[in-house]
Amino acid sequence: MPERPKNIHAESDTMLDKSLPYKSIIMRMEAAVAERFAPPAPAAGYRIRPFVPGDERHWARIETSVGEFSEEAAARAYFERVYLPEAALRCLFVVTERDEPVATATTWTEEEASLRQLQLQWVAVEPAHQGRGLGRAIATAAVRLAPGEAILLHTQTWSHRALRLYRSLGFRFCRTQTIVMRSKEGTGMKRYPNEFEEAMEVLRRTVAPAEIDEWRRTAFR
């Protein structure tokens, strides 16, 4: 069985829906699309700020709360291994009036040999703060960290609730694009498959046929 890639969630429900068969999905936003978005202000009582030292524990808490990791220690170890010391330039948080981080997203460049991919990674909103548009605000702000470049994201059928958000932001499905990402286990880079056709069939269980048809029609070849 293939490794379960890290999930990139957003908007109102970031919990994984594991009742569906798992299929890997890759999406892409063109540079011209990314540049036209002004990040929406988060809901009253929240603001967006960059990573500051110590936020690694909050990142671990948020990602564990949505089911990405089984324990915070593993999540924190991943963050420290992959994102430090550049996190301040690439990782954003939505925080409360008390400066408590409750949502996060990261724009990261993955490189393998001659391959270079700018990616939106690890978008997550703590369950108690979902349903307030924080996913949209943090994802858009993260995309704006790297103007002038196309950006990829990896998601899956388990994250079907986030797909409409990504489409509304300007991401389109890819039929053949693959993606490389750091493994959770610390085993280096891994290339994840594109299971577009299989994913569309799985998603028919939760998405209207007309919407599936539109996703197919607008997908990158």
Side-chain angles (χ1 to χ4, degrees):
M1 177 178 291
E3 176 187 352
R4 300 307 192 199
K6 54 193 177 188
N7 178 58
I8 314 284
H9 302 286
E11 202 49 21
S12 61
D13 188 344
T14 64
M15 302 299 290
L16 297 174
D17 180 5
K18 296 184 180 180
S19 68
L20 295 180
Y22 173 90
K23 295 297 177 183
S24 174
I25 297 171
I26 298 163
M27 304 182 77
R28 175 184 172 98
M29 179 191 288
E30 295 291 72
V33 175
E35 290 174 356
R36 77 173 188 234
F37 280 103
Y46 299 92
R47 63 185 175 88
I48 295 175
R49 66 158 173 79
F51 169 92
V52 296
D55 279 343
E56 54 268 35
R57 64 187 176 88
H58 297 298
W59 188 92
R61 171 177 51 79
I62 294 167
E63 297 296 342
T64 302
S65 77
V66 299
E68 292 290 0
F69 293 86
S70 59
E71 56 183 22
E72 292 184 24
R76 181 166 178 169
Y78 178 93
F79 186 94
E80 293 175 349
R81 182 174 68 249
V82 175
Y83 291 145
L84 294 180
E86 297 182 42
L89 302 175
R90 296 288 190 164
C91 184
L92 297 176
F93 291 89
V94 174
V95 299
T96 66
E97 292 176 330
R98 297 183 178 182
D99 201 42
E100 176 190 10
V102 296
T104 186
T106 300
T107 300
W108 199 253
T109 300
E110 299 285 20
E111 298 185 72
E112 182 185 53
S114 61
L115 179 66
R116 179 182 181 278
Q117 295 180 332
L118 180 67
Q119 300 174 14
L120 176 62
Q121 298 182 350
W122 295 102
V123 181
V125 180
E126 200 170 34
H129 296 269
Q130 292 174 12
R132 303 174 191 180
L134 303 186
R136 177 177 297 277
I138 195 68
T140 308
V143 165
R144 294 289 293 172
L145 288 176
E149 293 190 62
I151 186 166
L152 298 173
L153 72 81
H154 181 270
T155 185
Q156 57 274 312
T157 47
W158 291 350
S159 300
H160 61 88
R161 298 183 183 97
L163 297 178
R164 289 184 183 89
L165 170 67
Y166 300 141
R167 287 289 292 124
S168 72
L169 290 178
F171 282 95
R172 291 159 55 189
F173 293 90
C174 298
R175 291 179 178 271
T176 59
Q177 173 82 57
T178 58
I179 202 166
V180 293
M181 302 174 75
R182 312 290 180 92
S183 70
K184 287 182 178 179
E185 295 74 22
T187 55
M189 302 298 293
K190 182 176 180 64
R191 185 178 297 273
Y192 294 98
N194 187 325
E195 298 177 301
F196 174 78
E197 293 295 344
E198 298 95 327
M200 292 299 107
E201 291 305 311
V202 169
L203 289 170
R204 287 186 181 278
R205 304 183 189 184
T206 60
V207 179
E211 195 163 14
I212 293 289
D213 291 343
E214 191 271 339
W215 291 353
R216 287 181 181 276
R217 180 179 59 80
T218 59
F220 291 107
R221 296 290 176 182

